[in-house]
Amino acid sequence: MNPKECRIVYMGTPEFAVAPLQALVENGYNVVGVITMPDKPAGRGHKIQFSPVKQYALEKGLSLLQPEKLKDETFLGDLRAWKADMQIVVAFRMLPEVVWNMPPMGTFNLHASLLPQYRGAAPINWAVMNGEVETGVTTFRLTHEIDTGKILFQEKTPIGENENVGEIYERLMQIGAPLVLKTVDAIVNGTVDGIAQERLVEDEDDLMTAPKIFKDTCRINWAGDVEALHNFVRGLSPYPAAWSELVSPEGEHTGVKIFETAKQLENHMLSYGSIVTDGKNNLKVAVCDGYLQIKSLQLAGKRRMTPTELLCGLKLDEKWHFD
């Protein structure tokens, strides 16, 4: 079979999943159907919002399914009717065996880490937060346990010491798309079998995980060191964003998201979270081995701004602190 004759069903939801789908369509692969999450209300007006994958599928006139439950018999019947030879999953949801085991050529996933490291829902965030200097994308076979199937192909990329998750996300999205095409070709041509992840793991305790990130996960602990806190901020920037509370001399607390920082190693005697500022352009926060210089932040209910913009309207001094 010519790889471009292979009947492909594609599953994905966010922006990250659009680039591989676009690469398949624009390169003439036979995408017979797309599956994405059901529509949901978003924003203050609770207007129904389509997923990025749905928007692209509609633009290209692709057949579309949006099942609430992946074991629903109506959905399974519709899926079977597409007669897929292969299924591709990119940033979707956990599939039951009845779905991933349906096509004769199986189902593979594109994951945004170098498996077996960083299995889980937020691999890019955790890689940056943990100070990794390299990450990448992996295509692998779906099996019962999440992110554990045979590795097919990987593509690596460095992580700069000041790069944030948004920048890495964009790059992985671009290198992931051609890797999906490479994987389709190899599966159809029978030139790839895959490597069992167990062969790459000497000690399970050495594996880093990437669990889902919640609001409490993003709160800054100012008792950390400069390096760890700098990585923490950029690992959550621009979304969902590291946050803290700015406390006034009167004890009023204001939520603050912090998007960009710089490291300053220096001995001091200040309490963690203490603010040091010239009142004009510079704002830094005391941590255990120096200061975290704030370059970009956002007060609750306000727009994102620089310290210079913040200090024009808010007269901060050493009586204020971050909690």
Side-chain angles (χ1 to χ4, degrees):
M1 179 190 293
N2 184 319
K4 293 187 178 180
E5 296 174 351
C6 176
R7 296 177 63 85
I8 295 170
V9 167
Y10 188 90
M11 306 182 191
T13 297
E15 181 190 10
F16 190 84
V18 174
L21 176 58
Q22 183 177 7
L24 288 163
V25 171
E26 292 185 355
N27 284 278
Y29 287 80
N30 186 20
V31 179
V32 298
V34 173
I35 299 171
T36 191
M37 293 286 282
D39 302 331
K40 60 182 181 180
R44 293 182 179 179
H46 297 287
K47 293 182 179 179
I48 296 298
Q49 182 173 321
F50 294 167
S51 75
V53 164
K54 178 176 180 176
Q55 291 177 22
Y56 181 81
L58 291 175
E59 289 171 9
K60 297 301 178 180
L62 301 173
S63 298
L64 186 71
L65 291 175
Q66 295 179 268
E68 291 280 354
K69 298 179 180 179
L70 296 177
K71 292 183 179 180
D72 178 78
E73 283 302 325
T74 300
F75 162 66
L76 293 174
D78 291 339
L79 181 58
R80 290 189 186 98
W82 279 341
K83 298 180 180 178
D85 297 307
M86 178 192 305
Q87 294 174 156
I88 302 170
V89 181
V90 182
F92 186 49
R93 57 203 272 200
M94 190 171 180
L95 301 182
E97 183 175 2
V98 68
V99 173
W100 59 255
N101 204 27
M102 189 179 292
M105 292 186 185
T107 302
F108 76 85
N109 183 290
L110 174 72
H111 185 73
S113 82
L114 297 174
L115 291 173
Q117 296 291 352
Y118 294 103
R119 296 168 177 160
I124 310 176
N125 299 91
W126 286 105
V128 179
M129 288 161 68
N130 288 336
E132 301 287 357
V133 297
E134 183 180 66
T135 186
V137 285
T138 302
T139 53
F140 70 98
R141 292 283 193 182
L142 257 66
T143 56
H144 291 283
E145 299 297 325
I146 189 167
D147 298 339
T148 60
K150 280 187 174 182
I151 291 173
L152 301 171
F153 295 105
Q154 292 186 324
E155 188 76 29
K156 299 179 180 180
T157 186
I159 300 176
E161 68 171 327
N162 294 311
E163 281 191 299
N164 65 29
V165 144
E167 294 165 327
I168 301 298
Y169 180 98
E170 290 291 332
R171 190 154 73 250
L172 292 182
M173 189 163 56
Q174 297 308 315
I175 67 175
L179 196 68
V180 165
L181 303 190
K182 177 180 179 180
T183 304
V184 172
D185 291 352
I187 291 174
V188 174
N189 292 327
T191 57
V192 64
D193 179 40
I195 301 173
Q197 293 191 37
E198 296 77 29
R199 291 173 54 187
L200 305 176
V201 181
E202 293 184 5
D203 187 343
E204 289 284 341
D205 292 338
D206 293 335
L207 291 181
M208 305 298 290
T209 58
K212 187 175 180 179
I213 290 174
F214 298 95
K215 182 177 180 180
D216 286 348
T217 314
C218 303
R219 182 158 191 164
I220 298 171
N221 177 2
W222 296 106
D225 61 55
V226 168
E227 184 74 24
L229 288 171
H230 178 66
N231 293 340
F232 185 81
V233 169
R234 65 193 184 94
L236 294 167
S237 178
Y239 181 83
W243 66 277
S244 185
E245 289 187 329
L246 184 61
V247 185
S248 72
E250 295 75 33
E252 295 180 357
H253 290 240
T254 301
V256 181
K257 291 181 178 180
I258 298 176
F259 300 99
E260 185 181 359
T261 59
K263 300 175 287 186
Q264 182 178 336
L265 291 170
E266 187 177 323
N267 292 326
H268 62 77
M269 301 297 291
L270 298 174
S271 301
Y272 306 149
S274 296
I275 287 175
V276 177
T277 178
D278 61 2
K280 296 179 180 179
N281 301 304
N282 300 314
L283 177 63
K284 57 186 183 182
V285 186
V287 299
C288 71
D289 60 347
Y291 299 97
L292 200 65
Q293 295 179 308
I294 297 178
K295 299 292 186 180
S296 176
L297 72 167
Q298 181 178 10
L299 298 182
K302 304 293 184 180
R303 64 177 178 83
R304 183 170 170 173
M305 64 186 80
T306 64
T308 301
E309 293 170 316
L310 173 73
L311 294 169
C312 278
L314 189 62
K315 302 305 178 184
L316 295 179
D317 56 31
E318 69 281 353
K319 295 179 183 178
W320 293 68
H321 69 277
F322 278 103
D323 186 9

